[in-house]
Amino acid sequence: MREHTEKVMGNPLGIVPIAKLLPKFAVPAVISMIVSALYNMVDQIFIGWGVGVLGNAATNVAFPIPTICLSLALLAGIGGSANYNICSGKGEEEEGLKFAGNALSMMVILGVVMLAGILIFLKPLLFVFGATDQVMPYAVDYVRIIAYGLPFHFLGFGSTHLIRADRSPAFSMLCGIVGAVINLALDPIFIFGFHWGMKGAAFATILGQIVTAVMAVIYFTKMSSMKIRKHHLVPGGSYFRRIFVLGIGGAIFNLSIALSQIVMNNVIRAIGPSSVYGVEIPLACVGIIVKIDQVFRGIGIGVHQGCQPIFGFNYGAKKYDRVRECFKRASIAVIITGVIFFAAFMLFPKGILSMFGAESEVFFAFGVRFFRIYLMFTILNALPQLISGFFTATGKPVPAAMIPVIKHIFTFIPLVLLLPMLMGLDGVMFAGAISDAIIIVVSLLMVRKALRELK
């Protein structure tokens, strides 16, 4: 008991003022997520100028695949790091190492399984995701290549959460930045220099993922404070189950986004031919705007990822006042960010869209309208993600998972199926705005109750 108390009292997560601790962990996580979102967006820019509207539509159709893979990497990374943080707060270091090691094993296993599944069912998957006859060849070229990078993507991205839990947020950020920079540097060379088109963008992506994974392996073998040994990597059913329980909130958030995207693409494919915009233009616009929105949401995700070690350790150590203070400061940060992005989305939508290629006026007409309606609640849109992350870090997987389920499964998908029958493509736009408003209110009520009980 005395040894446990000394470990807790000596850990910076439990004693350094939150005002200093939060930027230390959150800023690197935010930078990492922004860079990741930006390189997805810049990928789209190069494809827009090098391939055109069909290339942009193809990346939108393919987008659920990396989103699903991201969700599974989060399942292992967040689940492993959350369990490690809580064990550290309780002074159970060896148990925490077993969770970290099992999380790494889970990342590799999931990556290999996804690679095999995508290669076997590639075209049927892309059709389900909304591909048209014109878009399918571009999507196949892109996805068939990026599939081979998935095991590296799982290990590299998932490991950043464990590295952050090991109190190395700067190196966690560096892993993401180096991979993204390599991708961005190779994109113009492969797409324009070698004239590889969609295949060039895919090759640039997987090379960046490989480098990130290699950096993570080097960290855990040479630099890590958490001394993970071979026996920690041996899969254990009880550890996998607990990782699943605490990681499922973050995973469901992204899985539900992927499902929403699939449904939205299919609705557009069904009703697009009867509109003045057709099918390919809305598919391309939606893909672009969703990726732009990811830059903003990446900030919210980065903030709550930076909070994870602080939430988890102090919750395990029963320092609940520090948990509440961290949540308050993080909420203020994401709301201020929301105000800035809301202004950009509402005032300059055409300027933002024009970065992705010289398209027709019909393209810009749809894109500007989609921007202003679909993203009208941007100011508060990062709060549900922060709140879901708060529940995950404090060992409450059920409310963490409920937030994305309510947002996407119970509100957005029913609305995006119903409203277009009444409003055409405008129904897709309003479905996004209405579901955002509902989940903001619901998640705030949930966290208000949880914070009051945290005594």
Side-chain angles (χ1 to χ4, degrees):
M1 182 68 181
R2 180 180 177 183
E3 182 183 357
H4 168 215
T5 303
E6 288 175 352
K7 284 183 178 180
V8 172
M9 291 299 293
N11 194 310
L13 291 171
I15 57 177
V16 173
I18 298 296
K20 294 182 179 179
L21 200 61
L22 182 57
K24 178 183 177 182
F25 280 84
V27 170
V30 167
I31 293 173
S32 180
M33 290 305 301
I34 289 177
V35 170
S36 176
L38 279 174
Y39 92 70
N40 282 330
M41 192 178 80
V42 174
D43 239 10
Q44 192 98 35
I45 292 174
F46 286 126
I47 288 170
W49 287 101
V51 181
V53 68
L54 290 178
N56 278 328
T59 57
N60 178 30
V61 167
F63 188 62
I65 290 177
T67 305
I68 292 169
C69 293
L70 174 65
S71 71
L72 296 177
L74 286 171
L75 172 69
I78 291 179
S81 61
N83 278 288
Y84 175 80
N85 288 324
I86 291 173
C87 288
S88 295
K90 295 178 179 179
E92 301 170 356
E93 195 64 30
E94 178 63 18
E95 191 73 359
L97 290 174
K98 290 180 181 178
F99 279 114
N102 270 253
L104 291 172
S105 298
M106 183 183 285
M107 293 169 201
V108 176
I109 293 169
L110 290 173
V112 173
V113 170
M114 284 297 297
L115 165 62
I118 288 170
L119 292 181
I120 294 170
F121 302 107
L122 178 57
K123 285 191 176 181
L125 280 172
L126 292 174
F127 179 79
V128 170
F129 294 167
T132 64
D133 290 340
Q134 286 183 295
V135 172
M136 181 67 80
Y138 296 90
V140 168
D141 283 348
Y142 184 73
V143 175
R144 181 174 283 141
I145 294 170
I146 66 169
Y148 287 100
L150 292 180
F152 301 99
H153 178 51
F154 272 76
L155 181 60
F157 182 80
S159 293
T160 59
H161 298 275
L162 293 173
I163 294 170
R164 197 177 300 115
D166 194 41
R167 302 199 299 277
S168 297
F171 192 87
S172 174
M173 173 188 70
L174 187 64
C175 288
I177 289 178
V178 170
V181 168
I182 290 172
N183 186 2
L184 295 179
L186 293 177
D187 260 338
I189 296 172
F190 290 170
I191 294 173
F192 301 111
F194 294 171
H195 304 289
W196 287 353
M198 299 295 293
K199 293 179 180 179
F203 278 121
T205 297
I206 65 171
L207 288 173
Q209 291 169 347
I210 290 171
V211 172
T212 299
V214 169
M215 291 179 66
V217 171
I218 291 172
Y219 177 85
F220 286 115
T221 54
K222 304 291 185 183
M223 305 162 61
S224 176
S225 298
M226 56 167 75
K227 302 302 180 184
I228 299 176
R229 307 301 182 195
K230 290 182 179 179
H231 68 276
H232 295 134
L233 298 169
V234 177
S238 61
Y239 294 102
F240 272 24
R241 282 193 296 273
R242 190 61 187 165
I243 290 169
F244 178 88
V245 166
L246 289 193
I248 192 63
I252 287 179
F253 218 114
N254 286 275
L255 284 172
S256 56
I257 289 173
L259 181 59
S260 296
Q261 188 83 14
I262 293 167
V263 174
M264 182 162 55
N265 287 347
N266 279 278
V267 169
I268 290 171
R269 184 172 61 182
I271 66 175
S274 61
S275 74
V276 296
Y277 305 111
V279 178
E280 280 73 27
I281 284 176
L283 280 177
C285 283
V286 168
I288 290 169
I289 291 167
V290 166
K291 287 191 176 180
I292 292 170
D293 186 42
Q294 269 199 318
V295 177
F296 161 66
R297 293 183 187 268
I299 296 174
I301 294 170
V303 170
H304 89 63
Q305 287 180 358
C307 292
Q308 291 272 331
I310 306 171
F311 286 151
F313 181 89
N314 286 285
Y315 183 80
K318 299 184 178 180
K319 296 189 173 186
Y320 301 134
D321 56 330
R322 291 174 61 82
V323 175
R324 286 193 296 269
E325 183 185 353
C326 183
F327 180 83
K328 178 181 177 181
R329 290 181 178 274
S331 299
I332 294 171
V334 298
I335 290 172
I336 291 173
T337 305
V339 171
I340 296 169
F341 275 81
F342 175 81
F345 292 163
M346 297 302 115
L347 296 175
F348 312 111
K350 186 173 182 179
I352 297 172
L353 285 168
S354 65
M355 296 189 299
F356 294 84
E359 301 294 349
S360 65
E361 283 304 312
V362 177
F363 175 92
F364 287 116
F366 179 86
V368 168
R369 185 167 175 78
F370 196 94
F371 243 126
R372 288 178 172 159
I373 296 175
Y374 191 78
L375 300 178
M376 68 170 63
F377 291 104
T378 294
I379 291 174
L380 300 176
N381 270 351
L383 282 176
Q385 292 172 308
L386 174 65
I387 293 166
S388 180
F390 163 80
F391 283 126
T392 295
T394 54
K396 297 179 177 63
V398 174
M402 282 176 60
I403 290 174
V405 168
I406 293 170
K407 199 280 188 192
H408 295 280
I409 309 301
F410 292 159
T411 56
F412 178 77
I413 290 177
L415 286 170
V416 85
L417 291 172
L418 174 63
L419 293 182
M421 298 180 193
L422 308 173
M423 307 168 65
L425 285 173
D426 278 2
V428 177
M429 308 177 195
F430 281 102
I434 295 170
S435 62
D436 281 343
I438 291 171
I439 196 56
I440 288 167
V441 173
V442 171
S443 60
L444 286 172
L445 292 174
M446 290 169 64
V447 80
R448 181 185 179 190
K449 181 176 183 292
L451 291 172
R452 284 181 172 179
E453 294 172 351
L454 203 62
K455 297 179 181 178

